[in-house]
């Protein structure tokens, strides 16, 4: 049986890649996909912890995270499409309207 | 031994596809890499005995969410915005050392502490067991999720309306 620390280390690797992706990329769609990567890394850690303690609560939380991620992606993509309709460009560097 | 080797293979696929997502310029390539990544995570769920979650992962993430992503990429025709020179290149490259620091922190704080003795007999995550838990102890959050999904649906329709 693979120990939990392996899964948690893999989760840390994937989460870090997601964070770097959010910071480095300029395309909002790729940034969104990197956020999905981070959510999945957290889900992996939740399932690993749940197995560690021998109960299923971690898996139920992952189920909720999936539902929230589905809602978040739908709304987020709608916002990106709405921005694209107004600006005709798709770069996060242009979106500085709310900067103080 | 075989379980460990299988884990290492799947983990290598997951890390490689995640790197492909953030390194490829083309967003469609990134989306396909993300599908591979989500599939490998579903395989890891299976290895941990979370059968229901593995199925849900493939259906919800690799199926529904990624179709939505590919659809949005096709509609928006991106790829032009990342060709030109990056005016903030130096600030962006700071992400690499800071990311390495974050990774070290995560491994030191979270992963290294959990190398103790073996886990108790792991509960199997069949649809039966997870569903039983979902409709007893977690009934209220489950109902809240339905409200959240309804709100998201209405919100998307408002946002996507022409002339909104």
């Amino acid at each position: 049986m693979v120990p939990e620390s392996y899964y948690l280390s893999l989760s840390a690797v994937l989460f870090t890649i997601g964070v770097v992706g959010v910071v480095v990329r300029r395309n909002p769609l790729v940034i969104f996909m990197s956020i999905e990567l981070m959510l999945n890394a957290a889900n992996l850690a939740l399932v690993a912890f749940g197995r560690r303690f021998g109960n299923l609560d971690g898996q139920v939380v992952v189920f909720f995270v999936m539902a929230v991620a589905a809602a978040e992606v739908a709304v987020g993509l709608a916002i990106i499409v709405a921005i694209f309709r107004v600006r005709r460009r798709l770069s996060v560097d242009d979106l500085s309207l709310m900067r103080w | 031994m075989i379980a460990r080797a299988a884990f290492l293979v799947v983990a290598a696929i997951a890390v490689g596809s995640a790197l492909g997502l953030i390194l490829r310029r083309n967003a469609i390539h990134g989306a396909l890499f993300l599908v591979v990544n989500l599939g490998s995570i579903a395989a890891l769920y299976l290895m941990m005995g979370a059968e229901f979650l593995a199925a849900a992962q493939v259906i919800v993430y690799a199926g529904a969410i990624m179709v939505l992503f590919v659809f949005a990429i096709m509609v928006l025709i991106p790829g032009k915005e990342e060709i030109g020179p990056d005016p903030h290149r130096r600030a962006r490259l700071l992400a690499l050392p800071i990311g390495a620091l974050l990774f070290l922190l995560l491994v030191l704080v979270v992963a290294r502490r959990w190398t103790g003795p073996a886990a108790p007999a792991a509960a199997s995550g069949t649809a039966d067991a997870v569903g039983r838990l979902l409709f007893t102890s977690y009934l209220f959050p489950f109902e809240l999720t339905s409200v959240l999904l309804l709100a998201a649906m209405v919100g998307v329709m408002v946002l996507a309306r022409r002339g909104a």
Side-chain angles (χ1 to χ4, degrees):
Chain A
M1 207 141 118
V2 186
E4 275 74 28
S5 58
Y6 282 38
Y7 289 104
L8 294 176
S9 304
L10 175 65
S11 167
V13 173
L14 292 178
F15 190 87
T16 310
I17 294 175
V19 170
V20 172
V22 167
V23 177
V24 168
R25 296 301 299 258
R26 279 181 281 167
N27 187 336
L29 288 165
V30 179
I31 289 176
F32 237 97
M33 289 194 268
S34 299
I35 292 173
E36 293 302 310
L37 199 64
M38 286 195 276
L39 280 172
N40 269 283
N43 281 352
L44 195 63
L46 279 171
V47 176
F49 280 127
R51 190 180 78 155
R52 168 80 187 195
F53 294 114
N55 61 29
L56 291 173
D57 295 53
Q59 297 188 19
V60 174
V61 174
V62 171
F63 177 80
F64 289 130
V65 172
M66 277 183 191
V68 173
E72 169 238 332
V73 164
V75 175
L77 287 179
I79 291 174
I80 292 177
V81 170
I83 291 172
F84 181 73
R85 248 191 226 150
V86 177
R87 300 212 165 216
R88 288 283 135 200
R89 273 196 70 193
L90 206 59
S91 176
V92 284
D93 289 339
D94 297 344
L95 306 175
S96 53
L97 192 69
M98 291 178 79
R99 207 153 123 194
W100 54 279
Chain B
M1 196 60 223
I2 289 181
R4 212 165 275 211
F7 170 81
L8 288 178
V9 171
V10 177
I13 295 173
V15 173
S17 55
L19 285 175
L21 164 66
I22 68 164
L23 292 180
R24 293 302 294 251
R25 262 174 209 280
N26 193 328
I28 280 282
H29 295 174
L32 295 179
F33 272 118
L34 188 56
V35 173
V36 174
N37 186 274
L38 297 172
S40 61
I41 286 177
L44 290 173
Y45 286 163
L46 268 186
M47 283 183 200
M48 283 192 277
E51 298 153 25
F52 171 70
L53 278 188
Q57 171 93 358
V58 171
I59 295 168
V60 175
Y61 263 115
I65 291 182
M66 287 319 293
V67 167
L68 212 57
F69 263 115
V70 173
F71 215 80
I73 294 171
M74 298 287 193
V75 167
L76 299 181
I77 327 167
K80 294 187 188 104
E81 63 284 340
E82 288 195 315
I83 301 292
D86 188 351
H88 306 293
R89 188 179 176 82
R90 206 176 296 158
R92 286 221 165 79
L93 284 181
L94 262 181
L96 295 179
I98 291 174
L101 212 65
L102 172 71
F103 171 66
L104 270 181
L105 206 68
L106 283 174
V107 168
L108 283 180
V109 174
V110 180
R112 264 198 62 202
R113 260 191 213 173
W114 297 86
T115 49
S124 176
T126 56
D128 182 5
V130 174
R132 229 169 259 281
L133 207 55
L134 211 53
F135 284 105
T136 52
S137 334
Y138 290 91
L139 184 60
F140 185 59
F142 184 74
E143 298 293 343
L144 276 187
T145 309
S146 69
V147 177
L148 174 76
L149 288 174
L150 179 68
M153 208 161 69
V154 174
V156 166
M157 280 175 190
V158 170
L159 278 172
R161 205 160 35 108
R162 283 226 173 263

